[in-house]
């Protein structure tokens, strides 16, 4: 990523190329898994996978923006540390699922450990905008996790991966074009 940005590419452009290069492989995987069924599978799982791709794009885009406003450690701690909590709360409040005490203990210990690392001497907090952006990214990461899980109810893994990759790639290309970022012709 560092070298791509140094050559004139933006994070959105790097994301677009990463997913564009992944598309043929995910397509072949999806086709090999679903030789006798449609690529879209049965039901609306492919729509959930497309939504997962949009959430993934939003998560990565906001996370990269947050790292420009705060430390990478803080941005990553907030995104990765809060996402499991949002997934658990949504699962409990909306889906009526139950977590056992051991699950909550594990999440608490993980969050406490990440908090200790983030609060260590030398961790830059910034003006709070990066942390707020990271929190929004954690919601998107939770949306990605829940949407992809929902898609897997009717799709095989390769099918879900293909649709999510296609959607996310499209979002990164559109973001690159909307921000005026070049998709071709970078510095040597």
């Amino acid at each position: 990523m560092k070298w791509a940005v140094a050559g004139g590419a933006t994070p959105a452009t790097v994301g677009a190329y990463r997913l564009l290069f992944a598309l043929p492989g995910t397509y072949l995987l999806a086709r090999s898994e679903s030789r006798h069924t449609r690529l879209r599978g049965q039901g609306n799982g492919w729509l959930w996978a497309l939504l997962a791709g949009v959430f993934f794009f939003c998560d990565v885009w906001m996370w990269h923006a947050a790292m420009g406003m705060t430390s990478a450690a803080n941005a990553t701690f907030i995104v990765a540390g809060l996402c499991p909590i949002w997934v658990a709360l949504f699962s409990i409040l909306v889906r009526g699922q139950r977590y056992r005490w051991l699950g909550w203990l594990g999440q608490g210990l993980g969050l406490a450990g990440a908090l200790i690392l983030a609060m260590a001497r030398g961790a830059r907090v910034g003006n709070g905008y990066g942390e707020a952006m990271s929190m929004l990214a954690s919601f998107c990461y939770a949306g990605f996790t829940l949407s992809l899980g929902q898609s897997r109810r009717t799709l095989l893994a390769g099918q879900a991966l293909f649709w999510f990759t296609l959607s996310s790639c499209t979002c990164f290309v559109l973001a690159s074009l909307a921000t005026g970022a070049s998709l071709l012709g970078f510095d040597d």
Side-chain angles (χ1 to χ4, degrees):
M1 175 77 158
K2 239 194 283 191
W3 300 293
V5 172
T10 66
T13 306
V14 172
Y17 275 105
R18 282 182 173 170
L19 291 160
L20 185 64
F21 291 142
L23 262 177
T26 60
Y27 176 78
L28 292 174
L29 178 65
R31 283 309 301 132
S32 72
E33 281 185 350
S34 58
R35 286 190 182 118
H36 304 293
T37 62
R38 297 181 317 171
L39 191 58
R40 289 190 331 186
Q42 302 296 320
N44 62 358
W46 68 283
L47 293 172
W48 283 105
L50 289 175
L51 182 62
V54 172
F55 276 127
F56 181 76
F57 158 75
C58 292
D59 163 49
V60 173
W61 184 55
M62 286 186 227
W63 179 52
H64 280 281
M67 284 191 285
M69 296 181 248
T70 187
S71 68
N74 281 354
T76 303
F77 153 69
I78 292 171
V79 172
L82 291 179
C83 171
I85 293 172
W86 303 140
V87 170
L89 289 174
F90 180 85
S91 297
I92 289 168
L93 297 174
V94 175
R95 293 185 175 170
Q97 294 177 333
R98 293 179 141 187
Y99 267 91
R100 295 185 189 154
W101 69 272
L102 193 57
W104 287 113
L105 177 64
Q107 284 195 0
L109 289 173
L111 193 58
L115 183 59
I116 289 169
L117 290 174
M119 301 290 275
R121 194 162 69 117
R124 181 173 54 95
V125 175
N127 59 10
Y129 293 130
E131 288 75 12
M133 182 72 79
S134 296
M135 186 172 284
L136 287 173
S138 75
F139 281 117
C140 292
Y141 188 37
F144 161 71
T145 302
L146 293 165
S147 298
L148 196 60
Q150 187 71 27
S151 78
R152 291 284 287 122
R153 291 181 178 208
T154 59
L155 292 179
L156 298 170
Q159 292 170 321
L161 184 62
F162 169 73
W163 291 110
F164 132 70
T165 303
L166 179 65
S167 170
S168 198
C169 181
T170 302
C171 289
F172 275 109
V173 168
L174 291 174
S176 295
L177 294 173
T179 59
S182 177
L183 290 169
L184 302 169
F186 302 106
D187 296 337
D188 292 327

